[in-house]
């Protein structure tokens, strides 16, 4: 298998973590979609990462779809329960964490623009979404049912990658204030080999 993406993307990291957790051998192709010489659009018409090329040269894109594909292969450990309703709850938490990552990515791209071109409205709106998302994830993690249960699932992976990204990009520097359940989750996840090996580069 071949995983195409960038080292800093939380969505690429999510798939890398899943592949490592499941012990699936893969080749990583570093290709930033915003680079002028990027080849990402050759595999994904939307020009987004991650894209996974399977053993039959089929291209899969969107991290949620790729995660589902990897579950359907049957490789252990399973990151979703067999019960479709229970799995749906976990998938919704996954999408919530991914949504926070999306908002953080928008802020990062907006701040790359010249200061006079940046939109204060865009920055404020997405910071508010991040905080609301983190509040909801904290409540879910504190409950310990769909997130932070002690058994790794897809929601844990997505949330851990999201926290790693907002830490890396300094998008929400005080996110940990009054969110002890998320702190506990992050501490446990970041000790796993799969997260240690996929941490974004320091520079």
């Amino acid at each position: 298998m071949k995983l195409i993406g960038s080292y800093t993307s939380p969505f690429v990291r999510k798939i890398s973590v899943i592949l490592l957790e499941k012990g699936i051998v893969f080749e990583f192709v570093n290709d930033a979609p915003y680079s002028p010489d990027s080849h990402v659009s050759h595999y994904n018409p939307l020009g987004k990462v991650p894209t996974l090329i399977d053993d039959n040269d089929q291209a899969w894109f969107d991290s949620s779809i790729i995660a589902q594909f990897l579950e359907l292969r049957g490789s252990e450990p399973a990151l979703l329960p067999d019960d479709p309703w229970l799995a749906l709850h976990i998938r919704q938490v996954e999408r919530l964490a991914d949504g926070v990552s999306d908002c953080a990515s928008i802020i990062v791209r907006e701040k790359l623009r010249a200061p006079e071109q940046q939109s204060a409205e865009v920055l404020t709106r997405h910071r508010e979404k991040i905080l609301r998302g983190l509040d909801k994830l904290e409540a879910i993690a504190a409950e310990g049912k769909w997130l932070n249960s002690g058994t790794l699932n897809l929601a844990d992976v997505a949330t851990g990658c999201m926290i790693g990204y907002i830490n890396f990009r300094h998008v929400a520097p005080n996110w940990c204030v009054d969110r002890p359940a998320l702190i506990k989750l992050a501490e446990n996840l970041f000790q796993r080999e799969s997260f240690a090996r996929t941490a974004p580069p320091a520079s």
Side-chain angles (χ1 to χ4, degrees):
M1 286 197 190
K2 184 182 297 184
L3 178 61
I4 300 167
S6 64
Y7 291 114
T8 58
S9 165
F11 307 107
V12 174
R13 187 183 190 187
K14 180 171 77 169
I15 301 306
S16 295
V17 167
I18 293 171
L19 289 165
L20 290 169
E21 288 287 341
K22 291 179 176 292
I24 299 172
V25 177
F26 68 101
E27 174 190 356
F28 187 88
V29 178
N30 184 29
D31 193 343
Y34 293 103
S35 172
D37 58 351
S38 173
H39 294 91
V40 171
S41 61
H42 294 178
Y43 306 99
N44 178 354
L46 300 177
K48 292 184 174 183
V49 293
T51 295
L52 183 75
I53 311 300
D54 69 17
D55 295 332
N56 297 313
D57 288 328
Q58 168 74 46
W60 300 91
F61 44 85
D62 187 280
S63 68
S64 291
I65 296 296
I66 298 172
Q68 183 69 28
F69 163 74
L70 294 173
E71 284 300 298
L72 290 173
R73 292 179 82 252
S75 302
E76 296 292 335
L79 297 178
L80 288 171
D82 292 332
D83 185 298
W85 286 105
L86 298 179
L88 187 62
H89 280 286
I90 292 173
R91 296 307 300 264
Q92 179 163 260
V93 180
E94 174 208 10
R95 290 303 302 140
L96 175 57
D98 283 352
V100 174
S101 291
D102 275 327
C103 291
S105 297
I106 289 170
I107 289 175
V108 169
R109 290 197 297 271
E110 186 68 21
K111 295 189 78 172
L112 288 175
R113 293 156 59 89
E116 64 275 10
Q117 296 178 335
Q118 293 178 20
S119 169
E121 180 184 358
V122 167
L123 293 171
T124 298
R125 183 167 67 248
H126 286 89
R127 284 181 181 127
E128 290 173 350
K129 289 181 181 181
I130 288 172
L131 295 178
R132 290 197 302 268
L134 288 170
D135 286 342
K136 182 62 176 178
L137 289 167
E138 170 66 22
I140 297 170
E143 186 180 6
K145 187 175 183 181
W146 312 120
L147 189 64
N148 205 27
S149 68
T151 300
L152 186 73
N153 66 33
L154 186 54
D156 294 314
V157 174
T159 302
C161 292
M162 174 273 292
I163 291 173
Y165 185 69
I166 63 176
N167 283 344
F168 173 63
R169 293 301 193 187
H170 308 290
V171 172
N174 296 317
W175 72 266
C176 54
V177 175
D178 296 327
R179 296 192 179 98
L182 285 181
I183 293 173
K184 175 187 174 184
L185 175 64
E187 289 175 345
N188 290 336
L189 290 174
F190 294 164
Q191 291 177 19
R192 300 181 75 93
E193 182 181 0
S194 59
F195 275 85
R197 287 177 59 183
T198 58
S203 60

